[in-house]
């Protein structure tokens, strides 16, 4: 309606913009492509919470959609191809808007399906009318005026983008409806976390999802997402005062420190959970401290891990168990070792393992949280890492971006050593046939980090009650047993064994491996205890990572 009856009021602006592009010697199809790019970019900005940029790019795209036709008519370059591009690209832009909303708000799927159907019906009528009615207008075929044209469509999407919390709530199942026995679909509890391991994804997508549905009646969705991604999302939502689409996050260390300091978490909630009260020692530092930072009940522990190394014994006689031995290994076997960038959690753990060796845990733990003082203290370790840099894979010019990339190098035989924050990883990989049967685990003699990993609830979760129910289910004996299976994830449980019944203890005993590989690939608990070192305070870890980037990664 507005396109038909109000366009004359802005026609002069379109003419001037068209003349500008003609002066630049642009073709109308180039402007059409630019409008497509801006429209798709708008959807991307919306998904990542840059709402006003999304709105601005949307309307720029819409304006250029009018300008390209004006240019074509002014320069006599109207064509059937241009008409096709114009109609097709308009629909692509609108579809990306719908997809972006669906990705952010899975609970609106049905409403968005209905919306997509209305687009299909209206475009069918529009194109059919355009083909059957004689064209007497300026455009390349008959454009039938309607109640809702492109401008109204953009107004509709603008309102969704800006006021999404209120509009989305109209399409989602409310708590009151649920309590009254509404027959609407139960709201899904979305848990986000690192998704770089298919086995972990299967555990969450299949085992936990099925158990949660059976024991609570709730639907759970696992959303693979790196910590930096969900923290950026939560930070943007906090600044914009928006409700969220994530109900739980897998988190620990400096990421928890950042989230708690910035007010990005809901809580405290740990002491309200039945399984936490029943099976956890709530006074244990492994439960109430995270990288030296008090959790204050804002996260629930769900697993333990210790950093370990693995090597191919067919190629490596004696594995390097300290920094001096690693240098000797590299001198004899240049290019056969590397480590992930410290932006990766495992790469950061390797860096701390080097620090335990070169500096000493006690001295590191008592460092003041001052960047330059930390830099001075760890200078010998940074010097060491720079000294071995030319001997690393790719001569240290580049590092694997994450653990999955390093594992691929080991699997392909490009490097002979790898690492993981899961001591059971080697057993699982060998049993699956992914790693050589000659793989063996080892620890460094000056210690490797161990820690607890947690689940937390975002401050703006729409389902805080249901999120607690899901986390409580994950803390159950059955789910902790399934997570600890060495033929699965192999993640150490957090439950206090002294609090388990005889029957519950038998469940853990039943999952002990019988494979002949177990003796060679599973480190005894006394070794893990002997060489395990607590994590450094989160703020120190963040400073150390920054210094590595400046003094090693970017060093010339």
């Amino acid at each position: 309606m507005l396109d038909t009856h109000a366009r004359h009021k802005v026609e002069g602006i379109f003419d001037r913009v068209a003349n500008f592009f003609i002066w630049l010697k642009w073709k109308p199809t180039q402007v059409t492509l630019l409008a497509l790019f801006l429209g798709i970019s708008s959807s991307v900005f919306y998904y990542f919470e840059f709402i006003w940029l999304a709105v601005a790019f949307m309307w720029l795209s819409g304006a250029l959609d009018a300008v390209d036709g004006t240019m074509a008519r002014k320069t006599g370059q109207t064509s059937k191809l241009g008409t096709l591009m114009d109609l097709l690209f308009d629909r692509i832009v609108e579809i990306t808007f719908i997809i972006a909303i669906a990705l952010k708000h899975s609970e609106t799927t049905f409403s968005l399906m209905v919306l997509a159907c209305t687009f299909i019906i209206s475009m069918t009528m529009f194109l059919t009318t355009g083909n059957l009615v004689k064209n007497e207008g300026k455009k390349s075929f008959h454009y039938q005026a309607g109640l809702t044209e492109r401008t109204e469509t953009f107004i509709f999407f603008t309102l969704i983008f800006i006021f999404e919390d209120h509009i989305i709530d109209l399409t989602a199942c409310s708590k009151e409806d649920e309590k009254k026995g509404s027959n609407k679909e139960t709201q899904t509890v979305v848990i986000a976390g690192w998704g770089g391991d298919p086995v972990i994804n299967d555990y969450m997508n299949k085992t936990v999802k099925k158990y949660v549905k059976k024991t609570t009646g709730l639907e759970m969705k696992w959303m693979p997402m790196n910590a930096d991604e969900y923290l950026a999302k939560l930070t943007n939502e906090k600044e914009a005062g928006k409700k969220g689409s994530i109900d739980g996050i897998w988190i620990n260390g400096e990421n928890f420190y950042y989230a708690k300091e910035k007010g990005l978490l809901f809580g405290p909630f740990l002491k309200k959970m039945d399984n936490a009260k029943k099976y956890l020692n709530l006074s244990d530092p492994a439960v109430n401290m995270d990288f030296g930072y008090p959790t204050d009940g804002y996260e629930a522990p769900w697993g333990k891990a210790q950093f370990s190394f693995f090597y191919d014994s067919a190629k490596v006689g004696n594995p390097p168990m300290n920094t001096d031995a690693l240098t000797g290994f590299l001198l004899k076997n240049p290019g056969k070792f590397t480590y992930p960038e410290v932006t990766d959690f495992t790469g950061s753990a390797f860096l701390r393992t080097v620090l335990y060796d070169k500096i000493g845990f006690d001295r590191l733990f008592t460092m003041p949280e001052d960047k330059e003082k930390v830099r001075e203290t760890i200078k010998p370790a940074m010097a060491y890492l720079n000294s071995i840099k030319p001997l690393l894979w790719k001569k240290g010019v580049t590092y694997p971006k994450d653990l999955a990339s390093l594992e691929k190098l080991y699997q392909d035989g490009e490097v002979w050593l790898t690492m993981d924050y899961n001591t059971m990883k080697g057993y699982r990989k060998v049993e699956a046939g992914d790693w050589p049967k000659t793989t063996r685990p080892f620890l460094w003699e000056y210690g490797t980090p161990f820690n607890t990993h947690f689940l937390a609830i975002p401050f703006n979760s729409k389902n805080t009650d249901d999120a607690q129910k899901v986390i409580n289910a994950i803390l159950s004996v059955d789910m902790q047993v399934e997570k600890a299976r060495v033929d699965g994830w192999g993640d150490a449980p957090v439950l206090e064994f002294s609090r388990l019944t005889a029957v519950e203890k038998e469940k853990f005993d039943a999952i002990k491996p019988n494979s002949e590989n177990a003796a060679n690939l599973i480190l005894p608990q006394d070794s893990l205890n002997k060489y395990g070192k607590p994590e450094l305070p989160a703020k120190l870890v963040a400073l150390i990572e920054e210094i590595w980037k400046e003094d090693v990664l970017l060093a010339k």
Side-chain angles (χ1 to χ4, degrees):
M1 183 170 64
L2 290 175
D3 289 355
T4 301
H5 300 292
R7 175 164 176 152
H8 65 278
K9 296 183 179 296
V10 292
E11 194 71 54
I13 297 174
F14 292 153
D15 276 343
R16 287 192 289 274
V17 176
N19 289 336
F20 173 73
F21 280 109
I22 293 170
W23 176 76
L24 291 176
K25 302 190 183 307
W26 278 44
K27 295 179 180 179
T29 53
Q30 290 175 299
V31 175
T32 304
L33 288 168
L34 178 59
L36 172 67
F37 171 77
L38 293 173
I40 295 175
S41 298
S42 172
S43 298
V44 174
F45 283 131
Y46 167 72
Y47 179 79
F48 286 104
E49 304 293 339
F50 298 102
I51 303 301
W52 293 110
L53 274 176
V55 171
F57 273 54
M58 177 197 301
W59 285 99
L60 283 172
S61 172
L64 293 180
D65 180 50
V67 168
D68 58 0
T70 302
M71 288 175 64
R73 290 186 288 274
K74 279 177 171 286
T75 58
Q77 297 183 57
T78 56
S79 66
K80 292 181 179 179
L81 175 62
T83 300
L84 175 63
M85 290 174 62
D86 186 54
L87 290 170
L88 176 62
F89 291 175
D90 285 356
R91 304 295 79 76
I92 290 174
V93 167
E94 291 156 4
I95 288 169
T96 62
F97 292 161
I98 295 175
I99 291 173
I101 297 169
L103 289 173
K104 286 186 67 177
H105 301 283
S106 58
E107 71 273 19
T108 65
T109 302
F110 179 76
S111 300
L112 292 172
M113 286 172 57
V114 173
L115 176 62
C117 290
T118 65
F119 273 64
I120 294 170
I121 293 170
S122 64
M123 284 309 302
T124 300
M125 295 177 62
F126 175 74
L127 293 173
T128 302
T129 304
N131 185 54
L132 297 177
V133 176
K134 181 180 179 181
N135 182 27
E136 297 179 349
K138 295 180 181 179
K139 298 189 176 184
S140 53
F141 77 104
H142 177 74
Y143 272 52
Q144 177 63 47
L147 181 63
T148 302
E149 297 176 320
R150 195 120 202 271
T151 300
E152 287 84 1
T153 300
F154 274 29
I155 291 173
F156 170 74
F157 280 116
T158 298
L159 291 173
I160 289 180
F161 283 15
I162 295 176
F163 302 107
E164 64 174 334
D165 288 343
H166 305 288
I167 294 174
I168 296 300
D169 280 346
L170 295 177
T171 68
C173 175
S174 69
K175 289 283 183 183
E176 288 71 25
D177 287 339
E178 188 176 341
K179 290 176 183 177
K180 293 175 184 178
S182 170
N183 60 2
K184 294 180 182 179
E185 181 182 357
T186 301
Q187 187 123 0
T188 300
V189 178
V190 179
I191 307 293
W194 180 70
D197 190 327
V199 174
I200 297 175
N201 292 336
D202 279 348
Y203 170 73
M204 295 300 293
N205 279 322
K206 297 176 182 178
T207 306
V208 173
K209 182 175 182 177
K210 183 178 179 180
Y211 184 81
V212 166
K213 180 68 175 177
K214 178 182 177 181
T215 58
T216 70
L218 297 171
E219 295 291 340
M220 191 214 77
K221 178 181 178 182
W222 171 243
M223 180 184 291
M225 181 181 285
N226 289 334
D228 57 343
E229 295 173 321
Y230 65 64
L231 289 177
K233 177 178 172 61
L234 293 176
T235 300
N236 290 331
E237 290 172 349
K238 179 83 171 180
E239 293 173 352
K242 297 172 65 63
K243 291 183 180 179
S245 55
I246 299 174
D247 304 302
I249 50 177
W250 179 9
I251 192 169
N252 76 340
E254 64 266 38
N255 295 318
F256 173 71
Y257 175 84
Y258 173 88
K260 189 165 180 285
E261 288 292 309
K262 297 293 183 180
L264 303 181
L265 301 177
F266 164 85
F269 67 88
L270 180 62
K271 293 182 179 180
K272 301 176 184 177
M273 297 170 54
D274 292 339
N275 284 332
K277 291 183 287 187
K278 185 176 182 180
Y279 295 115
L280 299 181
N281 177 2
L282 298 178
S283 62
D284 185 348
V287 172
N288 56 43
M289 299 291 287
D290 186 351
F291 280 60
Y293 184 67
T295 62
D296 294 330
Y298 279 79
E299 56 181 359
W302 73 311
K304 294 180 180 179
Q306 185 163 339
F307 184 70
S308 307
F309 292 91
F310 303 90
Y311 70 104
D312 187 346
S313 62
K315 299 172 181 176
V316 181
N318 296 312
M321 298 180 66
N322 54 49
T323 53
D324 290 340
L326 180 59
T327 301
F329 169 83
L330 285 169
L331 288 170
K332 292 180 181 178
N333 307 287
K336 295 304 178 182
F337 173 79
T338 189
Y339 58 96
E341 287 192 22
V342 301
T343 51
D344 175 82
F345 191 78
T346 307
S348 179
F350 170 74
L351 173 58
R352 296 193 293 281
T353 301
V354 170
L355 289 171
Y356 293 171
D357 182 329
K358 303 299 289 186
I359 311 301
F361 174 79
D362 292 338
R363 188 178 175 197
L364 291 166
F365 197 82
T366 57
M367 285 189 300
E369 295 176 350
D370 178 275
K371 186 174 181 179
E372 292 312 311
K373 290 181 180 178
V374 171
R375 190 192 304 274
E376 184 63 28
T377 301
I378 68 173
K379 185 181 291 185
M382 299 299 108
Y384 169 77
L385 291 171
N386 278 316
S387 73
I388 65 169
K389 200 172 179 181
L391 301 173
L392 299 177
W393 173 76
K394 297 289 186 184
K395 296 184 177 180
V397 174
T398 185
Y399 296 83
K401 66 177 182 178
D402 51 28
L403 177 60
S405 301
L406 176 61
E407 287 184 357
K408 182 68 165 56
L409 294 176
Y410 179 74
Q411 185 172 324
D412 293 343
E414 288 194 55
V415 297
W416 296 349
L417 305 170
T418 186
M419 58 193 74
D420 199 280
Y421 224 124
N422 184 335
T423 60
M424 299 293 186
K425 173 63 77 67
Y427 176 86
R428 170 158 51 94
K429 287 290 188 178
V430 171
E431 287 287 294
D434 296 332
W435 286 5
K437 290 185 177 180
T438 46
T439 296
R440 299 289 184 269
F442 70 102
L443 302 169
W444 270 21
E445 62 184 1
Y446 291 101
T448 61
F450 74 86
N451 68 42
T452 305
H453 46 103
F454 298 80
L455 292 168
I457 301 172
F459 74 99
N460 59 349
S461 164
K462 297 177 182 178
N463 301 297
T464 56
D465 290 341
D466 289 348
Q468 291 174 75
K469 292 177 184 177
V470 170
I471 294 174
N472 190 63
I474 291 173
L475 284 178
S476 68
V477 170
D478 288 341
M479 286 301 94
Q480 289 285 299
V481 167
E482 289 300 317
K483 185 163 63 69
R485 288 183 180 276
V486 293
D487 56 349
W489 183 353
D491 190 49
V494 294
L495 309 184
E496 284 283 320
F497 277 73
S498 62
R499 294 173 177 243
L500 300 180
T501 66
V503 173
E504 290 168 341
K505 289 177 181 177
E506 286 176 2
K507 292 183 177 182
F508 282 99
D509 290 337
I511 64 171
K512 290 180 179 178
N514 297 316
S515 165
E516 61 183 27
N517 290 318
N520 293 324
L521 286 163
I522 297 179
L523 292 166
Q525 190 61 49
D526 57 350
S527 293
L528 295 173
N529 293 340
K530 178 180 178 181
Y531 294 107
K533 295 289 185 184
E535 285 286 7
L536 299 177
K539 197 167 182 180
L540 284 178
V541 172
L543 292 175
I544 290 167
E545 290 174 355
E546 288 179 18
I547 293 167
W548 179 88
K549 292 175 191 176
E550 295 167 3
D551 295 358
V552 178
L553 181 63
L554 302 178
K556 296 182 179 179

